[in-house]
Amino acid sequence: MPTPKKGPRLASSPAHERLMLANMATSLFQNGRITTTLPKAKRLRPLAERLITFAKRGDLHSRRRVMRVIRNKSVVHVLFTQIAEQMEQREGGYTRIVKIAPRVGDAAPAAIIELVTEPVAKKAVVKEAEAATKVADEAPAEATEAENTEATEAPVAEAPAEETAAEAPAEAEAEKAE
């Protein structure tokens, strides 16, 4: 869990803040998204993600730990059966915060916090990366083969300066004769 923020809490007391975050987490798991103020959304995100991680474990101890925060058994059931199943392939980042226009009335910065339900495209990315490394491995292999052939031809093409000076006029005369 992140380090506690210094300064005033979101509500009048720590107990009130805990209850308020528990109610917001319950609403988030019931509806999939909620609209709230930006500071409340930022405080809710670590709690909601930790509860989803417990739900992914799926054992009795995890269910009891979630029940300490979320008191509604039907919401806990939905969290453990549906939401945890959706998040099975995801390794964190279960929620998304989207800033929206300020709230009408007091102009508080508003945000939408929602569950990320899109499937993870990790396997496609891994396949693309493997294909890229395979191509990269083949390209240097071809380049080294070309360098090896050049390296073997290079000593033959290179000759001492004395021989090249003597052979150059002879080669020019041979070309003219042909």
Side-chain angles (χ1 to χ4, degrees):
M1 184 172 169
T3 56
K5 306 254 191 284
K6 292 187 177 182
R9 298 205 172 244
L10 296 176
S12 59
S13 68
H16 186 205
E17 182 178 351
R18 251 191 325 271
L19 291 171
M20 186 173 54
L21 289 175
N23 289 335
M24 289 188 339
T26 302
S27 297
L28 176 65
F29 296 139
Q30 268 182 336
N31 304 319
R33 71 167 42 189
I34 58 172
T35 303
T36 183
T37 62
L38 186 61
K40 286 180 183 178
K42 287 183 177 181
R43 294 295 289 265
L44 175 62
R45 176 183 242 171
L47 175 69
E49 294 200 1
R50 190 170 62 239
L51 294 176
I52 292 171
T53 303
F54 283 136
K56 283 175 60 176
R57 289 185 197 161
D59 57 351
L60 181 62
H61 179 64
S62 299
R63 187 176 292 264
R64 287 179 175 164
R65 288 197 58 182
V66 170
M67 285 292 294
R68 280 194 263 171
V69 177
I70 299 175
R71 303 297 175 116
N72 190 340
K73 288 184 180 181
S74 62
V75 173
V76 172
H77 178 73
V78 168
L79 175 63
F80 273 75
T81 57
Q82 295 173 3
I83 297 173
E85 184 179 312
Q86 288 176 347
M87 304 295 178
E88 193 64 38
Q89 299 299 319
R90 192 172 291 277
E91 296 178 5
Y94 310 120
T95 58
R96 170 188 304 136
I97 297 176
V98 180
K99 295 179 185 178
I100 58 175
R103 190 165 60 189
V104 177
D106 62 352
I112 295 174
I113 182 167
E114 60 187 357
L115 297 174
V116 179
T117 57
E118 292 86 19
V120 179
K122 183 177 179 182
K123 292 183 179 181
V125 172
V126 169
K127 287 181 182 177
E128 290 176 9
E130 288 175 352
T133 54
K134 187 175 181 180
V135 169
D137 288 342
E138 291 174 359
E142 293 171 1
T144 54
E145 288 176 10
E147 289 174 3
N148 289 342
T149 57
E150 290 176 7
T152 55
E153 293 173 3
V156 174
E158 291 179 15
E162 299 168 357
E163 293 177 8
T164 56
E167 292 176 3
E171 289 177 7
E173 291 176 13
E175 288 177 8
K176 288 180 186 178
E178 291 176 6

